[in-house]
Every structure is written in structure tokens, then in C-alpha cells.
């Protein structure tokens, strides 16, 4: 069985490690360079690696006091269904355990995935500016 490694820092990370095809299905996806920038701007990250390639990631942004929000979680399609998404989320929730509010948004079909890790469903509101989906200025 292949074993993957998990890291919580960006030491040594370059855009070239992020060229596996993230943001699958996004009409206007961020480039690997922009992906690197959003990882650098996050307060917390967990990366999953297969050798020299990042194959999954999860980010959080936080006020450092009460609240943390998890905007992004993705595992490359070829690596899905092997527990990597669960492990990324478990490790992120562990990093965030001292916060009062830990929030994320997901489709209804993914609610059981997060419920297994102790989260509960709520109602929410969002706004999306699709012209900014690729993260370019
Ligand atoms: C969601 C995602 C991160 C899960 O990663 P993964 O590594 O495949 O997840 P795991 O292997 O840990 O799966 C754990 C369980 O969740 C379930 N699950 C995983 N992805 C699912 C999905 N898209 N829909 C419904 N259930 C899902 C699996 O059936 C599995 O259950 P099982 O162990 O009983 O078979 C991955 O499917 C992905 O990157 N999807 C595209 C991006 C996305 O939707 N991100 C979430 C944004 S909120």
C-alpha cells in the first residue's frame, strides 16, 4: 500500500509541486502560482504528498482568537477514496481545536463526510464573484 506524507508548513513548497490538476471542474481555476499564493495567505494548511507532488490540501483562515473558516479541501481525483481527505480534515480540525467556531460550507452530499469528523449541519449564506474565481487581481 502506498503511504503518503502530511505537512503543516510550506517549507520548500513551490508552484511546481502543485501542478497535478487541482481545482478540478472549476471553469476559471487559479494557476499553480496563485494556488501557492493562497496557501501562503492561509493561517493553517495541511498538505498531502506523494513523493515530490502535492496530491491533496486543506486550508483555514482564522482571526486567531475565536473563529476559523475552512475554505478549501481537495484531493486529486486519482488519489480520492483512499482516506486522504479524511486525514487532511482530521489533521486540520486538530490544529483548530482551541477555537470556538470552526466553519465550512459544503454540498449536502458531503455532509456525512464531515459529520463523521464531528461537524454538524447548519444553514448559511454566501456571495460569489465568479469573475474573481481564478484569484487574479
Ligand atoms: C471531498 C474529498 C476531499 C474527499 O477526499 P477523499 O480522499 O476521496 O476522501 P476519503 O477517501 O477520506 O473518503 C472518506 C469518505 O467520504 C466519502 N466521500 C468522499 N468523497 C465524497 C463525495 N464527493 N461525495 C460523497 N461522499 C464522499 C467516501 O465515500 C468515504 O466513505 P467510506 O470511507 O465510507 O467509503 C474529495 O472527493 C475531493 O477532493 N472532492 C472535490 C473537491 C471537494 O468537493 N472538496 C470539498 C469541498 S467542501
Amino acid at each position: 500500500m502506498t503511504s503518503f506524507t502530511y505537512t503543516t508548513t510550506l517549507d520548500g513548497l513551490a508552484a511546481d509541486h502543485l501542478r497535478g490538476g487541482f481545482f478540478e471542474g472549476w471553469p476559471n481555476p487559479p494557476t499553480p502560482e496563485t494556488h501557492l499564493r493562497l496557501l501562503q495567505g492561509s493561517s493553517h494548511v495541511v498538505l498531502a504528498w506523494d513523493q515530490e507532488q502535492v496530491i491533496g490540501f486543506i486550508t483555514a483562515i482564522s482571526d486567531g482568537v475565536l473563529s476559523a473558516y475552512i475554505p478549501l479541501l481537495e484531493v486529486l481525483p486519482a488519489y480520492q477514496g483512499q482516506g486522504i481527505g479524511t486525514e487532511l480534515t482530521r489533521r486540520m480540525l486538530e490544529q483548530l481545536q482551541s477555537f470556538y467556531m470552526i466553519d465550512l460550507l459544503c454540498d449536502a452530499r458531503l455532509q456525512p463526510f464531515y459529520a463523521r469528523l464531528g461537524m454538524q449541519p447548519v444553514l448559511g449564506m454566501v456571495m460569489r464573484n465568479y469573475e474573481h474565481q481564478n484569484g487574479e487581481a
Side-chain angles (χ1 to χ4, degrees), residues 6 22-24 26 55-57 70-77 79-89 104-114 116-117:
Y6 295 87
F22 285 107
F23 304 100
E24 216 238 346
W26 287 38
I55 51 150
F57 75 100
I70 297 176
L72 293 168
L73 164 67
E74 186 172 359
V75 174
L76 291 177
Y79 290 88
Q80 290 178 11
Q82 302 178 61
I84 299 167
T86 299
E87 190 59 20
L88 286 167
T89 310
L104 62 80
L105 293 165
C106 71
D107 292 344
R109 69 188 166 81
L110 272 174
Q111 285 178 335
F113 172 86
Y114 292 112
R116 290 152 83 241
L117 292 159

Side-chain angles (χ1 to χ4, degrees), residues 28-136:
N28 186 19
T31 62
E33 287 73 18
T34 304
H35 190 177
L36 178 62
R37 205 154 51 83
L38 74 83
L39 291 170
Q40 290 166 337
S42 299
S43 56
H44 303 77
V45 300
V46 188
L47 305 176
W49 295 78
D50 181 7
Q51 313 284 341
E52 291 298 304
Q53 194 65 34
V54 175
I55 51 150
F57 75 100
I58 185 168
T59 57
I61 51 178
S62 171
D63 60 19
V65 180
L66 284 188
S67 55
Y69 175 67
I70 297 176
L72 293 168
L73 164 67
E74 186 172 359
V75 174
L76 291 177
Y79 290 88
Q80 290 178 11
Q82 302 178 61
I84 299 167
T86 299
E87 190 59 20
L88 286 167
T89 310
R90 196 189 64 72
R91 287 173 186 246
M92 178 57 82
L93 293 176
E94 201 172 277
Q95 283 194 70
L96 302 177
Q97 63 187 337
S98 64
F99 292 106
Y100 166 60
M101 301 163 57
I102 302 164
D103 299 352
L104 62 80
L105 293 165
C106 71
D107 292 344
R109 69 188 166 81
L110 272 174
Q111 285 178 335
F113 172 86
Y114 292 112
R116 290 152 83 241
L117 292 159
M119 303 194 82
Q120 54 185 316
V122 292
L123 289 176
M125 301 287 288
V126 303
M127 183 180 285
R128 292 286 182 267
N129 296 317
Y130 284 99
E131 70 275 23
H132 297 313
Q133 191 184 57
N134 65 9
E136 302 299 325

